Amino acid sequence: MENIIKYFPTLNEKQQRQFAMLGDLYSDWNSKVNVISRKDIDNLYLKHVLHSLAIARFLGPLADGTAVLDMGTGGGFPGIPLSIIYPECHFHLLDRIGKKINVAREIAAASDIGNVTFQHGDIGECREKYDYVVSRAVMPLNGLVPLIVKNIKCKDNIDNRYAPGLICLKGGDLADESKGVKYPVLEFPINEFFREDFFETKKVVYVPIEF
């Protein structure tokens, strides 16, 4: 939790309370449904919450009403931490595994996060359009991009720093999985946002989708 305050010092009291609640909530739910590796639960804030928030450091402020789809959210990452940071934006969390999306739903409700909706299903079943699709290492880029193009708004009616597109959390060399992607693949090292050793090889990857 200390790292969250360190990198996001302007959080209001409600946001700080919501982030503080995640530790106990995820520990409790993870004992029932394995949504986070058992060895990682003690590093929840560093490896899952702060890692998710690298997307917020990349995007900067978002206009009210910005819509974001979290594809393959699992237990709620990166969608739940981002929904706390951006309370005036809307987040739709999607996952094929029902028990995981149920955990995310319960944690959002317990944390009083009201700007999220949930869907148990496949990306092919999600037909709404969003300003951004986010994901955390769900699949290689050359497989992911074709699946989510239909979900990206073709016109940016909201004044954000970055045009509509895909934003992923990735690690390592992405050369192979970027082959065949017909849109630009832009990489941003997370260690430029956060100094912890865990982020040394991790990246935010932005794929602007232009029609």
Side-chain angles (χ1 to χ4, degrees):
M1 182 63 191
E2 293 80 3
N3 283 331
I4 310 303
I5 301 299
K6 177 171 72 173
Y7 290 112
F8 297 89
T10 61
L11 295 174
N12 61 38
E13 289 185 10
K14 180 179 180 179
Q15 290 171 312
Q16 291 184 37
R17 183 171 66 253
Q18 288 171 318
F19 277 119
M21 293 176 69
L22 295 184
D24 287 342
L25 286 168
Y26 273 106
S27 292
D28 180 51
W29 275 103
N30 210 55
S31 66
K32 307 168 190 173
V33 179
N34 187 22
V35 294
I36 295 170
S37 169
R38 296 282 195 262
K39 65 181 181 181
D40 277 351
I41 194 65
D42 291 337
N43 294 305
L44 173 77
Y45 283 102
L46 175 67
K47 294 186 176 182
H48 299 276
V49 179
L50 190 60
H51 190 201
S52 296
L53 294 179
I55 292 175
R57 288 298 293 267
F58 165 71
L59 283 173
L62 289 180
D64 292 359
T66 297
V68 182
L69 169 65
D70 179 2
M71 178 188 165
T73 188
F77 298 103
I80 283 181
L82 290 174
S83 68
I84 296 174
I85 289 288
Y86 297 115
E88 302 303 323
C89 300
H90 174 68
F91 292 81
H92 186 62
L93 277 55
L94 171 73
D95 202 272
R96 291 186 296 180
I97 300 177
K99 62 183 180 181
K100 289 188 176 183
I101 202 74
N102 287 336
V103 169
R105 182 184 290 110
E106 293 292 337
I107 287 175
S111 305
D112 192 25
I113 302 172
N115 57 327
V116 289
T117 52
F118 302 88
Q119 181 178 351
H120 173 209
D122 188 86
I123 186 62
E125 301 172 82
C126 181
R127 296 176 177 84
E128 299 298 319
K129 293 187 181 294
Y130 302 86
D131 297 286
Y132 303 105
V133 174
V134 299
S135 75
R136 195 166 71 135
V138 170
M139 64 174 64
L141 286 169
N142 50 16
L144 178 58
V145 171
L147 293 178
I148 60 86
V149 168
K150 67 178 176 55
N151 298 106
I152 299 293
K153 292 182 179 179
C154 62
K155 186 176 181 182
D156 188 8
N157 293 317
I158 297 181
D159 187 19
N160 287 318
R161 180 186 300 174
Y162 293 98
L166 172 69
I167 305 170
C168 294
L169 295 170
K170 292 278 188 177
D173 187 351
L174 303 178
D176 286 343
E177 64 178 88
S178 298
K179 291 178 180 177
V181 176
K182 67 176 184 177
Y183 303 96
V185 177
L186 309 175
E187 301 179 21
F188 300 83
I190 293 180
N191 63 5
E192 294 184 2
F193 307 139
F194 307 139
R195 296 301 181 184
E196 284 70 19
D197 291 343
F198 173 72
F199 300 110
E200 185 65 31
T201 63
K202 300 193 182 300
K203 306 167 185 176
V204 171
V205 178
Y206 170 49
V207 182
I209 307 295
E210 299 179 5
F211 296 92

